[in-house]
Amino acid sequence: MTDDSSRSSKRALDPIDRIAEVLFGLIMVLTFTGSLSVAEAGREDVRLMLIGALGCNLAWGLIDALLYLMGCIADRARRITMFRAVRKAADQNAAHRLLSEALPPVVASIMQPAEFDSLHQRLKELPEPPERASLNKEDLKGALGVFLLVFFSTLPVVVPFILMHNAKPALRVSNAIAIVMLFLAGWAFGRLIGRRPWVVGVSMVVLGLILVALTMALGG
């Protein structure tokens, strides 16, 4: 319940978060590559597409990093507020209720009154928390990680347009890379949630392509 810098680092490296950031970056860049008309595209069209794709993901990477930092400080402020509330609880019943709200439901459901009392007493013996929540080095590292994940997840998809002069084969290679990346992200997600990885991988490819189509249809 007190401030813990390692907790921020652990959250930044959460596998689900990493997969989500990669998917976000892929979908964003696919809306640009998918809008390219290979029948009419020249080098200038490809250059503009590359600038748009990389620039958009650069911007969204920065926004995502900022939102991550906002989430860190909001979560830390909430924990400090809860910590103070437990320490200043008027009676044991109030302390038990606050502790129950702070703990995971499964853990809270098996806690005995004596255990709540013991936890309450130990919290009261801890040093006073900081006056206000603030960011730390681990939070900044996490934000940088978020930015890099969003931005660099676009690079494999746009590299064919940089290395190949003909837009048509470059688009085919780019789409193949994107499909593989979507499948691998789904495979990893499937393993994390205990489902068949290949089924989730295929589903992720389908879902990703649908989201790209919707984004493009809505003017994204």
Side-chain angles (χ1 to χ4, degrees):
M1 195 179 301
T2 54
D3 186 30
D4 184 359
S5 61
S6 64
R7 191 169 169 182
S8 295
S9 176
K10 184 177 180 180
R11 182 173 62 180
L13 299 175
D14 183 85
I16 297 294
D17 290 339
R18 289 202 296 267
I19 293 170
E21 296 296 346
V22 169
L23 288 173
F24 177 80
L26 279 173
I27 290 170
M28 291 298 295
V29 74
L30 283 173
T31 61
F32 284 87
T33 60
S35 65
L36 187 69
S37 174
V38 293
E40 304 174 359
R43 290 308 300 172
E44 181 63 17
D45 298 306
V46 172
R47 187 182 72 84
L48 291 175
M49 183 275 294
L50 288 172
I51 292 173
L54 295 175
C56 182
N57 273 42
L58 175 64
W60 279 108
L62 291 171
I63 292 171
D64 240 15
L66 177 60
L67 291 175
Y68 171 83
L69 292 175
M70 291 172 63
C72 286
I73 201 163
D75 180 62
R76 189 162 297 123
R78 181 191 62 81
R79 287 186 281 127
I80 290 174
T81 300
M82 179 65 72
F83 182 32
R84 287 190 177 132
V86 171
R87 285 163 60 98
K88 297 178 181 179
D91 53 52
Q92 291 297 93
N93 289 333
H96 291 185
R97 178 178 55 80
L98 290 169
L99 287 170
S100 181
E101 293 174 356
L103 292 170
V106 174
V107 175
S109 67
I110 61 172
M111 291 281 286
Q112 299 298 318
E115 293 172 314
F116 277 120
D117 291 340
S118 175
L119 182 56
H120 182 210
Q121 183 58 40
R122 279 181 284 170
L123 287 173
K124 289 169 66 176
E125 294 171 357
L126 290 176
E128 186 68 22
E131 191 65 28
R132 59 177 61 88
S134 60
L135 297 172
N136 57 41
K137 183 172 67 174
E138 296 302 324
D139 296 329
L140 298 178
K141 287 182 180 178
L144 177 61
V146 169
F147 167 76
L148 293 176
L149 278 171
V150 173
F151 182 70
F152 283 107
S153 62
T154 69
L155 293 185
V157 181
V158 301
V159 162
F161 294 99
I162 299 174
L163 300 179
M164 303 172 70
H165 293 285
N166 193 318
K168 190 171 183 179
L171 181 61
R172 289 176 179 172
V173 174
S174 174
N175 288 339
I177 292 172
I179 289 172
V180 170
M181 291 182 69
L182 285 169
F183 178 80
L184 291 176
W187 178 282
F189 183 68
R191 293 188 63 183
L192 285 172
I193 64 175
R195 301 292 180 89
R196 293 181 180 178
W198 71 268
V199 173
V200 181
V202 172
S203 301
M204 194 67 76
V205 171
V206 175
L207 177 61
L209 296 178
I210 290 173
L211 289 174
V212 170
L214 287 173
T215 303
M216 293 174 64
L218 294 172

